[in-house]
Amino acid sequence: MIPQLHIEDYAYPLSDERIAKYPLEKRDSSKLLYYENGRVTEYVFRDLPALLPERSIMIFNDTKVVPARLHFRRSTGARIEIFCLEPVSPPEYNTSFASVDTCSWKCVIGNAKRWKDDVLKLDNPEDDPVVAAMDLTAELVQRDGQTGIVSFSWRSGEPFSRVLEICGTVPIPPYLNRESEQIDSERYQTLYARWRGSVAAPTAGLHFTEPVLDAIRNKSIDIENVCLHVGAGTFLPVKSSNVSEHSMHREPFVISRELLVRLRDRTCPVTAVGTTSVRTLESLYYAGISCLEKGRPEDIGQWVPYEREYTTSTSDALDALISYLDRNSMTSLSLGTRIIIVPGFRFRIVDRLVTNFHQPESTLILLVSAFVGGDWRTIYDYALSHDFRFLSYGDSSLLVRTV
């Protein structure tokens, strides 16, 4: 049964001065709130390894943020902002990024009503010769309100990934209320980012440094990666009072066969770094169920976990995915998920969560509440009263799941 929740019950007072507008000088110097069984303790992020169980598993999201925000001008002078969301042609991220003359993407279009049928040229106010050499243009193929399909063309012979690096800007969150700056190119990216495709950073990972990662490895903790490309929907507020009316966006993810085997056979706790890692890992059970029932894994719908009782064991569900990959000579599973995690959700894989402090009345607050058995206010009241910094560039927490 779909839970009937009211988003107003997940509000808290977040003033603008509590939002961290810039990162701290050192990634691992942020505060760290530790929560377990209703108790809160305060540390510094570099203390994290000491709080993790030895010989456990820690899973990161190694997606990479792309500078996906582009600014164009019409011949009339009107400024049009184009925010690339996901590739359409070619449809795969890697092949689209490798395109050398044209590709098309689904985009959010700022000032969309001002864009008619003309071809736009990239805005280059500083007359940068490298930018000019790209000769990047945009043509509107299809419009759907504030979004649409945009075809990009350029003449440099460079891959589209390089075009974005030269012509685009990092799409920092709108709640920072500022333009992207040079510091964002480095700091709105995790150290371990690998696969291009996100338009928002998995911000729980922004705190990690090489010394912290080395200390984790020294505790015989198995570091693993999944990849979920974070979409612009992560910034969308829940506008309906009843959470059941909120629509989650699809996000693609990839997980290796080796990690599926490791999770199936595990006898130790799993720590997920970030809510994106949680959504990926907890989606696996339902992908396995569809594999058992339909012979193949399918994208995970928003409310699938709540539609009925599931009695299949987690190990059997994961084993079904592994068998599917083996039958098809595949080394990794690629799917999409729209899963929403709210109070009442049954966690099957993740035991600990590293996460930042999220916006009030957001789906991420709902996930945190589900993870700690509804006791999210204890965490947020402490953070508010102890000068923690909030949101993407803010402080961090390590939460132990309430069973």
Side-chain angles (χ1 to χ4, degrees):
M1 179 181 294
I2 295 177
Q4 297 302 308
L5 303 167
H6 293 284
I7 198 62
E8 296 87 355
D9 295 334
Y10 299 87
Y12 69 90
L14 180 63
S15 58
D16 186 66
E17 58 265 23
R18 305 307 298 268
I19 299 173
K21 300 299 176 66
Y22 292 90
L24 296 177
E25 182 179 353
K26 296 182 179 179
R27 289 178 182 262
D28 59 8
S29 63
S30 58
K31 291 184 178 185
L32 177 69
L33 181 151
Y34 179 68
Y35 173 91
E36 184 173 11
N37 293 326
R39 297 188 301 274
V40 172
T41 318
E42 185 176 326
Y43 295 89
V44 177
F45 192 82
R46 66 179 67 96
D47 299 324
L48 174 69
L51 301 172
L52 300 172
E54 292 186 357
R55 296 179 176 81
S56 57
I57 304 172
M58 193 166 201
I59 300 178
F60 296 79
N61 181 5
D62 61 3
T63 186
K64 190 172 186 177
V65 180
V66 296
R69 196 185 301 275
L70 298 160
H71 296 97
F72 291 82
R73 280 196 186 275
R74 296 188 63 206
S75 58
T76 60
R79 195 171 188 239
I80 308 292
E81 180 181 281
I82 298 177
F83 186 7
C84 299
L85 296 182
E86 59 185 70
V88 174
S89 178
E92 297 296 328
Y93 281 89
N94 288 341
T95 51
S96 186
F97 285 131
S99 299
V100 293
D101 53 9
T102 185
C103 62
S104 60
W105 281 62
K106 179 180 179 182
C107 302
V108 174
I109 304 167
N111 210 6
K113 292 181 180 179
R114 303 288 295 277
W115 191 3
K116 307 304 180 184
D117 297 325
D118 51 330
V119 175
L120 304 182
K121 286 189 172 293
L122 187 73
D123 192 18
N124 186 13
E126 297 180 5
D127 292 322
D128 186 325
V130 178
V131 172
M134 292 288 174
D135 194 20
L136 180 64
T137 61
E139 184 175 2
L140 187 61
V141 176
Q142 179 180 318
R143 186 197 304 270
D144 183 13
Q146 295 299 308
T147 64
I149 296 175
V150 176
S151 176
F152 298 102
S153 299
W154 61 99
R155 298 182 184 276
S156 64
E158 296 278 6
F160 190 57
S161 58
R162 179 65 177 156
V163 173
L164 288 177
E165 288 173 8
I166 292 173
C167 302
T169 58
V170 175
I172 59 172
Y175 48 66
L176 295 185
N177 291 319
R178 64 175 177 83
E179 293 295 322
S180 298
E181 300 178 23
Q182 184 59 42
I183 191 174
D184 300 309
S185 298
E186 175 192 355
R187 296 297 299 276
Y188 196 63
Q189 194 82 266
T190 63
L191 290 183
Y192 48 82
R194 183 180 180 190
W195 302 106
R196 291 183 295 254
S198 281
V199 298
T203 54
L206 298 180
H207 306 277
F208 285 86
T209 60
E210 290 300 342
V212 170
L213 292 170
D214 287 342
I216 291 170
R217 295 186 187 98
N218 289 338
K219 290 193 70 171
S220 300
I221 294 173
D222 183 13
I223 291 180
E224 302 280 358
N225 294 309
V226 296
C227 183
L228 180 142
H229 290 319
V230 188
T234 191
F235 299 136
L236 294 178
V238 179
K239 294 182 178 179
S240 304
S241 174
N242 194 323
V243 176
S244 65
E245 297 174 5
H246 179 71
S247 180
M248 291 288 284
H249 53 290
R250 179 188 184 275
E251 293 174 316
F253 70 85
V254 179
I255 184 169
S256 68
R257 179 191 182 279
E258 288 79 7
L259 181 50
L260 287 171
V261 172
R262 184 81 174 88
L263 293 172
R264 181 195 63 186
D265 299 338
R266 74 181 176 107
T267 57
C268 60
V270 170
T271 301
V273 178
T275 56
T276 59
S277 297
V278 173
R279 293 180 66 242
T280 300
L281 294 169
E282 294 297 335
S283 293
L284 296 175
Y285 176 81
Y286 302 97
I289 294 296
S290 68
C291 215
L292 287 168
E293 296 179 351
K294 301 178 182 179
R296 66 185 186 283
E298 294 182 341
D299 281 6
I300 296 85
Q302 178 169 335
W303 297 107
V304 165
Y306 313 92
E307 292 174 348
R308 58 187 169 97
E309 290 291 328
Y310 295 90
T311 58
T312 303
S313 69
T314 302
S315 59
D316 284 348
L318 295 178
D319 192 62
L321 293 175
I322 296 165
S323 298
Y324 171 82
L325 294 180
D326 290 345
R327 288 196 305 272
N328 291 277
S329 301
M330 300 165 66
T331 59
S332 63
L333 176 70
S334 299
L335 282 178
T337 185
R338 295 178 62 239
I339 194 172
I340 186 170
I341 296 178
V342 302
F345 182 86
R346 179 183 174 186
F347 290 88
R348 298 175 184 271
I349 293 178
V350 180
D351 304 294
R352 285 169 173 76
L353 167 61
V354 177
T355 189
N356 285 12
F357 295 92
H358 306 291
Q359 288 180 287
E361 299 186 353
S362 66
T363 59
L364 302 181
I365 285 282
L366 295 171
L367 186 152
V368 168
S369 181
F371 199 76
V372 297
D375 195 25
W376 70 274
R377 286 195 182 276
T378 295
I379 297 165
Y380 278 71
D381 286 347
Y382 183 95
L384 287 166
S385 62
H386 288 76
D387 296 323
F388 275 64
R389 302 162 71 248
F390 280 66
L391 307 186
S392 294
Y393 278 142
D395 294 317
S396 186
S397 66
L398 172 61
L399 313 178
V400 179
R401 179 165 58 86
T402 301
V403 179

